Amino acid sequence: MSLLSLRGLSKSYGTVRANRGIDLDVAEGSIHAILGENGAGKSTLMKLIYGVESPDEGEIFWQGDKVSLSSPAEARSRGIGMVFQHFSLFETLTVVENISLIVPGRKAELTSRIRELGRDYGLEVDPAAHVHALSVGERQRVEIIRCLMTDPKLLILDEPTSVLPPQSVEKLFETLLKLRDRGVSILFISHKLEEIRSICDHATILRDGAVTGNVDPREHDAHDLAQMMIGRDMPAPRPFEARAPGPVMLELAGLDCRPDDPFQISLKSVSLQLHAGEILGIAGVSGNGQGELARLISGETRRHPEARAEVMMMGQPVGHLGAAARRKLGFAFVPEERLGRGAVPEMSLADNTLLTAHRLGLVKRGLIDRRAEEAFTARCIADYDVRTPGPQAEAGALSGGNLQKFIVGREIELGPRLLFVAQPTWGVDIGAATAIRRKLVDLRNAGTAVLVISEEIEELFEICDRIQVIREGRLSPSLDVSETRVEDVGRYMIGAEERARP
Amino acid sequence: MSALSFILAGMLAAAMPFLLAALGELVAERSGVLNLGIEGMMALGAVVAFIVVRHSGGHAMGFVAAGLASAALSLVFAWLALAVRSNQVAAGLAIGILGQGLSALFGKGYESLTVPGLPKLAIPGLSDLPVIGGLFAQDAVVWLGLLGTLAIWAAMRFTKLGLVIRAVGENPHAARALGYHVIGIRYGAVAFGGLMAGFAGAYAATVYTPLWAEGMIAGRGWIALALVVFATWMTGRVFFGAVLFGAVSLSQLAAQAGGVALSSQLLASLPYIVTILVLGVISANKRLLKINGVASLGEPFGP
């Protein structure tokens, strides 16, 4: 008998059919993968199982009995726990306070149980710490502990590895295997094929809200799984051209920055050099200062005029200049948040091009040249394969991948000498991600300096010449990709390299 | 009686309308709802309490009636803000104006009438001390208000209920995912805020100055709102700010009576200036603001 069975589950949001007639069987003591691209309906399905949303149609069977899970509390009482992708922790509360929100008991009692579970499963965390002071990996441990304390029979993990460095991923997998051996089934949501092959004993593949396959992932190679997931062959990466590096286009020299905001990371003597015609990647676990570094380079955070030389662009000190002045020098920037910083969701694509491309003849004598604006937008849409009705479509109506292609296209069309892209393919489907990476490599081959911040190491290894790792606001020395292994970068990500050295 | 003992004796009573209203608003804001209608809710509470006491229902009955009336008005606001999900600023202002209108309407026949105040309850021994003795002779509402402050501080800090209210205010979506009824908790917090505003109005109209005049709340609800923000949503600081405001109000009265050569308008604005300066300096600590600030304040929440 299955622990959990779904029969014909459907859920629509407006006209979007997020889940269509899903059948799923999770066995006892199994690590079961739900594999699918972003937007395939994985998260919606998990919300239905955890009672956050109710299905429009279909039935849920728990240990053979038909149930209706109308709230998370009900799901928990039946033994279903969930670790969210975007953590549902409260930053201003302590670890034990967070846990006491769903686990009954006195604080002292909970504290000792947290320590105990931490030792048993390798999930060490300080119960009295405030969550805002914890690293992303620690927060995930808190989420898992919180679930374990409700004694679940089924644990749902939504993209648990997307925020972890490789070594922590291994540790997480050990924890999951231990849990499985003690009789807890795990629903493991991911779009990373190798991970699923290494730990899961069953995989259900989703595409466009429907099940497209039910397989044992250990019997299929990554290529097969990818084909089931995206419905076509994986596009090949762009071949790399060797180039002699050009002049330095971006230089940070011993940058120190202490923010007022206690939730932000201080940067400590950050140094980097980026040459024309190369791609430099900044790797690291999220929350180690990437956001702060990005704002310093983009010009959203300005330095005191005396410290102007801490940021040099095209050979000029720009530390004290704002974003517009830096862009005038030939700098272009794709921020991490597409909606709100990269584009204005309520405005049309055409008006969104105006935000950064206004210098390219789109404005004449203070008036907008609508025809030029439209033509420029149409070019971005065509060249970057943006799937949209046209230049007048609202930016917020595009899917994440399409909007990202559009924003990257807009910035590349500016003809920058220095392009900075933060998280180029976050939440973007495989097809669009590959297209974006190819464009970045093309740009490098054409002699532009490209800086990329990403949490996906594989992505950095695919496109970068060099990688530096950011950890707790410090940058590692520069690592040449051709002479570096993923594990080396991983060691810098968790700080093992610093400890190993005197 | 020296100016100092005059101030010490009266500052807690002067602080009470601000304190009660601000504590209620603190709880509502901690849950993520910005209720700008406090002034109107105090005005409604004031007139209801005055009418009940005037018809000799007694102060206890007056306070209960005032609290219920204001809580009912705050539930209308809560319905607009939480169920209809209208803009909280606009809804709060509208309901506040409604409260002031109702207050003027109900109070029409009571203009310039008076009611008896409340007797002082003294702590034997302490109240006989020189200079500071007056501090220990206060009416029953002040004593209850002090206990209430302590209770709210402890509740927000140490109890599950306080934890849940803070969690809902910081991240309603996560709270919902954990299975908490965000809207229900916010209704409760807003109603508590209304109840406290009603008590504050009742105190102003039937104890502090037991005489009815239209518009007698005179901006005290707005000061209470400002206190909550300047106090960075911390109970202890709300108390400190309210007492400071009360003390400076009394000292400017003492100064006017003592014939200080400053224009009375300038003196009258002194409490506002001092409170804003002191609390402004305290709340300049961005770290505290970030940790105690309510992340979802004023944002409509819908599943």
Side-chain angles (χ1 to χ4, degrees), chain A residues 427-449:
Chain A
V428 171
D429 58 81
I430 292 187
T434 312
I436 289 171
R437 286 176 202 145
R438 289 172 72 120
K439 290 286 183 188
L440 293 178
V441 174
D442 284 345
L443 198 64
R444 161 201 178 268
N445 293 345
T448 302

Side-chain angles (χ1 to χ4, degrees), chain B residues 57-152:
Chain B
H59 276 88
M61 190 71 88
F63 270 76
V64 169
L68 291 180
S70 298
L73 186 61
S74 74
L75 282 175
V76 179
F77 162 75
W79 178 76
L80 284 173
L82 301 174
V84 185
R85 271 185 261 158
S86 57
N87 181 301
Q88 291 185 12
V89 171
L93 289 174
I95 294 297
I97 292 167
L98 174 65
Q100 284 174 311
L102 289 174
S103 166
L105 179 69
F106 296 155
K108 263 284 171 263
Y110 296 87
E111 199 64 36
S112 302
L113 297 180
T114 59
V115 293
L118 280 178
K120 303 262 189 234
L121 306 176
I123 298 177
L126 287 177
S127 60
D128 300 328
L129 292 171
V131 187
I132 62 164
L135 197 53
F136 301 100
Q138 305 288 346
D139 57 67
V141 181
V142 171
W143 293 126
L144 287 174
L146 295 179
L147 283 180
T149 307
L150 207 61
I152 289 172

Side-chain angles (χ1 to χ4, degrees), chain A residues 50-53 71-73 76 84 87-93 96-98 100-104 107 130 132 146 260-263, chain B residues 30 156-158 160 162-180 286-288 290-293 303:
Chain A
Y50 193 53
V52 180
E53 305 273 1
S71 76
R76 273 201 305 275
F84 293 87
F87 300 135
S88 63
L89 296 174
F90 301 91
E91 303 223 332
T92 58
L93 308 182
V96 63
E97 280 176 335
N98 265 285
S100 72
L101 279 169
I102 57 169
V103 185
K107 245 185 200 174
H130 277 95
H132 65 78
R146 185 166 69 176
D260 296 326
D261 187 335
F263 294 1
Chain B
R30 275 281 191 172
M156 291 310 285
R157 207 181 161 98
F158 300 115
K160 177 85 180 265
L163 196 61
V164 172
I165 291 174
R166 277 152 61 202
V168 165
E170 185 194 314
N171 189 345
H173 297 279
R176 176 162 179 271
L178 293 184
Y180 285 100
K286 284 193 184 153
R287 191 185 163 77
L288 266 179
K290 189 88 186 184
I291 289 174
N292 289 299

